[in-house]
Amino acid sequence: MKKGRYIRQSSKNQTNLRQLAKVHPDEILYIDVISGSVPFAERPEGKKLIDAVEASEIDYITFHDLSRAGRSTVDVLTTLNYFQSKSVIVKIDNLGLESIIEGKVNPIFNLITTVLSEIYSLERTTLLERQAEGIHQAKLKGGVYLGRQEGTTDSPELTLSKHKRVVKTIKTNPTLSLRQIAKLSSESDYKVSANTVKKVKSLLDNTKFVKQ
């Protein structure tokens, strides 16, 4: 059996790549450093993996998580159906499922991956709707939204909304250290680190919200 493992990550981490090679010595690694919004078949390493399947060089593919196979329901299912049509076994690590068992298509695999891919797609749509609403509210308040701050996952509006206690503490105690602000902001149901305080302070000072 000729094994391949597909990995997609957003940033290049050489240490992480070396570690992956050590952990999976019996697999050929296909690692894309690319946005998940790019369809699987258009990703450089995704293309290489497809070429390897076409050349009969790979007949077993592992994904750690179903979302690595694509972003939308259509993309995920198109990718999985393609591999299935080539009699390539696909394993989703965190589900513990394989697409083909003893030479037969696993109906449970198809059912669960279809449902989960739809859920992932719905979650992304909901997140985008929330971000759009946050941008709209920022503009109504007299701000100009210029995009997400580099290095963050959430939009600035969503981050500030999540950490309202930190924002309040910073505004009322601007001279305190990051650790002191973190301590004042934390409660039994809400713990915050100095790094989070630093991120919030940066957002508050950032020119991504430019007053008109």
Side-chain angles (χ1 to χ4, degrees), residues 46-61:
K47 290 179 180 179
K48 288 183 181 180
L49 178 53
I50 290 173
D51 289 342
V53 169
E54 290 289 342
S56 299
E57 296 171 356
I58 296 290
D59 55 18
Y60 189 104
I61 299 170

Side-chain angles (χ1 to χ4, degrees), residues 27-208:
E27 298 172 311
I28 299 175
L29 301 185
Y30 296 85
I31 305 174
D32 269 318
V33 181
I34 195 170
S35 168
S37 62
V38 178
F40 184 86
E42 296 178 17
R43 302 172 188 174
E45 292 298 304
K47 290 179 180 179
K48 288 183 181 180
L49 178 53
I50 290 173
D51 289 342
V53 169
E54 290 289 342
S56 299
E57 296 171 356
I58 296 290
D59 55 18
Y60 189 104
I61 299 170
T62 301
F63 294 90
H64 171 69
D65 183 273
L66 181 63
S67 63
R68 304 295 93 177
R71 180 56 61 93
S72 68
T73 302
V74 172
D75 189 26
V76 171
L77 297 183
T78 297
T79 300
L80 296 181
N81 287 338
Y82 164 74
F83 291 135
Q84 195 173 93
S85 73
K86 296 294 180 178
S87 298
V88 173
I89 298 173
V90 174
K91 181 180 180 182
I92 309 298
D93 268 350
N94 68 344
L95 296 178
L97 291 174
E98 292 185 349
S99 60
I100 299 175
I101 299 178
E102 297 181 351
K104 297 181 179 180
V105 173
N106 181 0
I108 300 300
F109 178 93
N110 287 346
L111 174 62
I112 292 179
T113 53
T114 298
V115 172
L116 285 181
S117 61
E118 185 64 33
I119 290 174
Y120 291 155
S121 183
L122 179 61
E123 287 178 344
R124 175 162 173 75
T125 299
T126 300
L127 176 60
L128 291 175
E129 288 175 349
R130 288 176 179 173
Q131 289 177 340
E133 178 62 22
I135 293 170
H136 177 66
Q137 291 300 323
K139 290 181 178 179
L140 288 178
K141 294 177 181 178
V144 177
Y145 179 81
L146 302 180
R148 190 175 72 190
Q149 186 180 30
E150 184 178 355
T152 63
T153 300
D154 295 329
S155 66
E157 299 93 339
L158 188 56
T159 299
L160 294 177
S161 176
K162 285 182 178 179
H163 302 292
K164 291 180 180 179
R165 293 179 186 173
V166 177
V167 172
K168 182 177 180 180
T169 304
I170 290 173
K171 289 182 177 180
T172 55
N173 304 276
T175 61
L176 293 182
S177 69
L178 298 179
R179 290 183 180 277
Q180 289 172 324
I181 292 174
K183 186 175 181 180
L184 278 176
S185 302
S186 296
E187 295 184 10
S188 59
D189 62 337
Y190 174 77
K191 300 295 181 181
V192 63
S193 67
N195 284 337
T196 298
V197 174
K198 182 179 180 180
K199 180 190 292 185
V200 172
K201 286 192 72 172
S202 176
L203 287 175
L204 290 174
D205 296 336
N206 203 283
T207 56
K208 289 187 184 295

Side-chain angles (χ1 to χ4, degrees), residues 5-9 11-33 62 64 68 93:
R5 175 177 288 269
Y6 180 81
I7 297 164
R8 185 196 65 76
Q9 52 190 50
S11 61
K12 192 170 185 178
N13 185 323
Q14 294 294 353
T15 301
N16 183 40
L17 299 185
R18 288 195 296 269
Q19 184 60 34
L20 284 169
K22 289 181 181 179
V23 174
H24 306 289
D26 63 332
E27 298 172 311
I28 299 175
L29 301 185
Y30 296 85
I31 305 174
D32 269 318
V33 181
T62 301
H64 171 69
R68 304 295 93 177
D93 268 350

